[in-house]
Amino acid sequence: MSDEANRSAFLEIKGRLIENTGKMKQVHNQVRNKEGEKKRAFLTLEELRQLPDDTNAYKSIGRMFVLEPKSILMNDQEQKLKDSETAIASLQASKEYLEKQKAEVENNLTELLQQDPGLAQQIMSMSVM
C-alpha cells in the first residue's frame, strides 16, 4: 500500500481505538454507579428487616417524605436491587464486547505497523516532538 493509504488507515484505526476507549470508560462508570445503587438498596433493605412488621417508615420522593408501610418500602428496595443486578450484568456483557473490539483494533494496528515500518518511524517521530 502507498504511504498515504497507510496513513489514512492508521488514522482510522486510531480513531476507532479512541472511540472504543471512551465507550469503555463510560460503561465502567455506569457499572460503578449501578454497584453503588445496588449497595444502597441492600443496606436499606437490611435496615428495614430489623424493624417490626407493623412499622410505618418514610419514603423520600424528591424533596418530600411520604409515610408508607414497611412492606411497600421493602418491595421497592428489592426491586431496585434486582434492577441494579440486571443492569450490571448487561453492562458487563457490553464491557466484554468492547474489550474484544479493542483487542481487534489493537491487532489491526499492530499488523499495519508491521507491514510498513516507515509508518511506525513517522509516528514515533511525531510523538516525540
Side-chain angles (χ1 to χ4, degrees), residues 23-31 91 94-95 98:
K23 286 180 182 178
M24 285 182 63
K25 285 180 183 178
Q26 183 180 16
V27 167
H28 178 72
N29 288 334
Q30 289 174 339
V31 167
L91 289 168
S94 295
K95 187 176 178 181
L98 289 171

Side-chain angles (χ1 to χ4, degrees), residues 3-51:
D3 282 347
E4 193 59 38
N6 282 342
R7 187 175 295 218
S8 65
F10 170 75
L11 292 175
E12 178 188 338
I13 290 172
K14 180 182 171 186
R16 287 190 353 218
L17 189 60
I18 290 170
E19 179 183 344
N20 188 285
T21 304
K23 286 180 182 178
M24 285 182 63
K25 285 180 183 178
Q26 183 180 16
V27 167
H28 178 72
N29 288 334
Q30 289 174 339
V31 167
R32 280 194 10 224
N33 288 340
K34 288 296 178 183
E35 286 174 347
E37 287 178 22
K38 178 182 171 185
K39 186 168 187 157
R40 270 191 301 282
F42 176 76
L43 293 173
T44 303
L45 203 53
E46 288 300 309
E47 291 297 320
L48 285 173
R49 285 189 178 124
Q50 296 174 11
L51 299 175

Side-chain angles (χ1 to χ4, degrees), residues 25-98:
K25 285 180 183 178
Q26 183 180 16
V27 167
H28 178 72
N29 288 334
Q30 289 174 339
V31 167
R32 280 194 10 224
N33 288 340
K34 288 296 178 183
E35 286 174 347
E37 287 178 22
K38 178 182 171 185
K39 186 168 187 157
R40 270 191 301 282
F42 176 76
L43 293 173
T44 303
L45 203 53
E46 288 300 309
E47 291 297 320
L48 285 173
R49 285 189 178 124
Q50 296 174 11
L51 299 175
D53 288 336
D54 61 344
T55 303
N56 288 331
Y58 289 95
K59 176 181 178 180
S60 172
I61 301 177
R63 292 173 46 185
M64 178 175 69
F65 294 94
V66 178
L67 189 62
E68 301 228 352
K70 174 186 167 185
S71 61
I72 292 176
L73 294 174
M74 292 210 34
N75 289 340
D76 288 348
Q77 294 304 316
E78 288 170 354
Q79 188 60 44
K80 283 182 185 178
L81 191 65
K82 289 177 188 173
D83 290 347
S84 294
E85 288 173 348
T86 303
I88 288 170
S90 172
L91 289 168
Q92 290 292 355
S94 295
K95 187 176 178 181
E96 290 173 9
Y97 173 74
L98 289 171

